[in-house]
Amino acid sequence: MITDYALAFGSLLLLGGRLGDLSGRFRGRVRGRRRGRQLRSPRRGACGTGPLRRAAGTRDPLTAQRDLHPAVREAEGLRFPGTLTVSAALFAIVYGFAHVESTSWTDRVSLGSLVGGVVLLAVFVWLESRVAHPLLPLRLVRDRTRGGAFLAVFVLGMGMFSIFLFLTYYLEAGIGYSPIEAGLAFLPMVVGIVASSTTAPSLLLPRVGPKAVITAGFLVSASGMALLARLALDSTYVAHIMPGMILLGLGIGAVMTTAFQGATAGVHHEDTGVASALINTSQQVGGSISTALLTTIASSATADYLSSHKPGALTVAQAGVEGYTATLAWGAGIFVIGAVLSAFLIPNRALAPSEGEPVIAH
């Protein structure tokens, strides 16, 4: 369910952001809110449909969008092949990882889905390079600062989903926390995120640059995840869980704020919508892939422990913990990979300001 939501949400964000760039973000926001109210209302909005809508002088936003901007009409036939291709690619990759859980890494369906997803991503890039108004302008990711920042957000999404999902499993199923207690257990991490996200941009970024801040943030997060990967059935909150939570919060906050600024650095006003959407898409898609991959890893670790130990209630409980901590160890590795990629890809120079929306004077 989590993967389905993240895939659907992430896949359509690029389309919404690009439509806002082409037709105008104010009008896009108004249409989006109006359409959302219609979908939530059983009567499809106060104006209704058919004669009532015509009497009120309104039109269906999905029909009216074609008349708002010439670029929208020109690009209408070009957006949807890219949308369908990238959505199918992401679905294939996530399905391939998820299918491994019930089969194996050498299963033909799993390998076929993973390879097919990568091929479709290549087709998507080819399509985007040939159209006048692409869903994802490749100039956004060709810049090293922005490309590295988008990749950092993607890796951050992969790691964060493993924290919130599998650490919650450990707290509730492993050591018996109630849902409220499990939620309160995350507060030190939240405090760390707030502390670092409010200090890193103003104190560290001007002095050491984006590369150093993002790389160091990933390494701090990895150290916190490594501490949590050592949890056991008899671990205590203050001694074993809270220190890792604090380190995670400090690292995540530094990476998040700096990467978000880097992803929109130097963006022209006509690309700000799709650039912002790509930030959310990177995070959601990273989380989708991570959830499918780490669920498979957790299941394998649990099954391996059960098969190598004598049956019993304690063995079952410890097997669950082994599965959860295996995903946290992989999460630490994911953050280390993020640090290495950021160190190589992101230039350590001041972030260029993005252009604002042009103001039309009357």
Side-chain angles (χ1 to χ4, degrees):
M1 186 66 183
I2 297 174
T3 300
D4 294 341
Y5 157 77
L7 268 180
F9 185 67
S11 298
L12 294 176
L13 274 172
L14 281 178
L15 178 60
R18 195 58 177 152
L19 284 175
D21 287 333
L22 293 174
S23 63
R25 276 168 286 285
F26 175 77
R27 287 177 292 195
R29 184 166 60 248
V30 171
R31 291 200 311 277
R33 290 177 178 175
R34 184 187 304 164
R35 188 60 176 171
R37 287 195 299 267
Q38 291 172 354
L39 294 176
R40 289 192 298 268
S41 171
R43 300 177 60 187
R44 298 191 63 192
C47 290
T49 58
L52 290 179
R53 180 180 298 278
R54 290 192 293 270
T58 62
R59 292 177 295 172
D60 191 309
L62 297 182
T63 303
Q65 72 176 20
R66 303 171 182 172
D67 303 327
L68 289 175
H69 197 285
V72 176
R73 294 196 302 269
E74 182 180 348
E76 186 170 60
L78 304 176
R79 288 191 309 268
F80 296 103
T83 304
L84 293 176
T85 303
V86 72
S87 299
L90 296 176
F91 175 83
I93 292 174
V94 173
Y95 179 79
F97 281 125
H99 195 260
V100 172
E101 180 182 358
S102 57
T103 55
S104 68
W105 289 100
T106 58
D107 179 73
R108 292 183 178 180
V109 175
S110 301
L111 290 177
S113 297
L114 293 173
V115 173
V118 173
V119 171
L120 286 173
L121 282 179
V123 172
F124 170 72
V125 174
W126 178 79
L127 286 174
E128 298 302 283
S129 66
R130 296 177 61 86
V131 298
H133 300 283
L135 178 68
L136 173 59
L138 297 181
R139 58 180 174 270
L140 284 178
V141 295
R142 284 173 179 159
D143 178 82
R144 286 183 59 193
T145 298
R146 290 195 297 267
F150 286 128
L151 188 59
V153 173
F154 175 82
V155 174
L156 186 65
M158 292 186 69
M160 287 179 64
F161 269 64
S162 68
I163 299 166
F164 291 119
L165 182 61
F166 294 100
L167 188 55
T168 300
Y169 286 161
Y170 167 79
L171 293 173
E172 295 187 13
I175 58 178
Y177 276 29
S178 68
I180 294 178
E181 290 173 334
L184 293 175
F186 281 92
L187 285 180
M189 186 177 70
V190 175
V191 173
I193 291 175
V194 173
S196 61
S197 63
T198 53
T199 56
S202 58
L203 297 180
L204 297 179
L205 188 58
R207 291 175 171 82
V208 300
K211 174 191 289 190
V213 174
I214 294 177
T215 302
F218 271 129
L219 292 177
V220 172
S221 299
S223 63
M225 194 80 87
L227 289 178
L228 294 175
R230 302 171 60 186
L231 294 175
L233 285 173
D234 57 351
S235 297
T236 60
Y237 180 76
V238 175
H240 302 100
I241 300 175
M242 190 168 67
M245 290 278 202
I246 294 174
L247 289 174
L248 276 171
L250 293 174
I252 289 173
V255 173
M256 185 181 298
T257 52
T258 309
F260 283 11
Q261 289 186 44
T264 56
V267 174
H268 298 290
H269 65 84
E270 66 268 17
D271 292 332
T272 53
V274 69
S276 301
L278 186 57
I279 294 174
N280 284 300
T281 299
S282 301
Q283 189 174 13
Q284 296 292 331
V285 172
S288 299
I289 296 174
S290 172
T291 301
L293 173 63
L294 296 180
T295 299
T296 300
I297 293 171
S299 299
S300 299
T302 301
D304 291 343
Y305 188 88
L306 288 173
S307 63
S308 60
H309 292 77
K310 293 182 179 181
L314 183 60
T315 299
V316 173
Q318 184 61 40
V321 174
E322 290 292 325
Y324 306 146
T325 54
T327 63
L328 296 174
W330 273 75
I334 289 172
F335 282 146
V336 170
I337 293 173
V340 173
L341 292 175
S342 300
F344 277 99
L345 292 178
I346 301 177
N348 206 34
R349 59 171 180 258
L351 299 177
S354 58
E355 293 184 5
E357 180 72 17
V359 178
I360 301 176
H362 294 282

